[in-house]
Amino acid sequence: MDDSGSEPRVLATDKALELIREIQQDHPDILFHQSGGCCDGSSPMCYPAGEFMIGDNDVKLGEIGGVPVYISGNQFEAWKHTQLIIDVVPGRGGMFSLDNGREKRFLTRSRLFGGSEACSVPDISRAPAQ
């Protein structure tokens, strides 16, 4: 849980945090964007923060390792009762994602918020532009 007493909407595994630090050696200011695909098994894209335009309908889910994580508004509506867990698996990242070429890639896993936990999940408004 975070300090507010509610469950975070996005978490990262230790492997994901390690890969974030590795990428930040080359690109200190990065962000994640989850768009397209289904929740489990899809790949969040990792971009240099200054090279990706956050849309008016994108939603900021939170931060992992100090890096902001956004999701498209339509996907947020479908997944708003789901916690995303960013992990790392062997393979190649998306063509434009900064994990590409490292022989490992980010992967989104998920779990549904349940019971009283779902009531403690804060509402999120649309993310303001960077």
Side-chain angles (χ1 to χ4, degrees), residues 8-12 16-17 20 30-35 43-47 49 52 54 58-72 75-76 79 82-87 106-109 124-128 130:
R9 290 186 173 274
V10 62
L11 298 173
L17 294 172
I20 287 169
I30 60 175
L31 63 81
F32 283 94
H33 193 273
Q34 178 72 50
S35 61
S43 295
M45 300 295 280
C46 180
Y47 298 108
F52 185 83
I54 301 299
D58 287 338
V59 174
K60 183 178 179 184
L61 293 178
E63 294 187 0
I64 54 174
V67 175
V69 180
Y70 296 89
I71 188 169
S72 65
Q75 277 195 304
F76 175 73
W79 296 355
T82 305
Q83 183 178 56
L84 302 185
I85 302 134
I86 308 303
D87 198 2
F106 292 109
L107 176 90
T108 301
R109 301 185 191 279
I124 293 182
S125 60
R126 297 291 183 249
Q130 298 178 356

Side-chain angles (χ1 to χ4, degrees), residues 35-125:
S35 61
C38 64
C39 200
D40 272 339
S42 62
S43 295
M45 300 295 280
C46 180
Y47 298 108
E51 295 181 22
F52 185 83
M53 179 77 77
I54 301 299
D56 290 341
N57 289 322
D58 287 338
V59 174
K60 183 178 179 184
L61 293 178
E63 294 187 0
I64 54 174
V67 175
V69 180
Y70 296 89
I71 188 169
S72 65
N74 290 341
Q75 277 195 304
F76 175 73
E77 287 305 316
W79 296 355
K80 63 185 171 186
H81 301 295
T82 305
Q83 183 178 56
L84 302 185
I85 302 134
I86 308 303
D87 198 2
V88 170
V89 295
R92 290 194 170 175
M95 183 178 288
F96 300 108
S97 185
L98 294 174
D99 54 345
N100 191 19
R102 297 173 189 267
E103 302 309 316
K104 50 193 164 189
R105 67 181 183 89
F106 292 109
L107 176 90
T108 301
R109 301 185 191 279
S110 66
R111 75 172 191 86
L112 289 174
F113 291 114
S116 63
E117 177 185 56
C119 296
S120 69
V121 176
D123 286 334
I124 293 182
S125 60

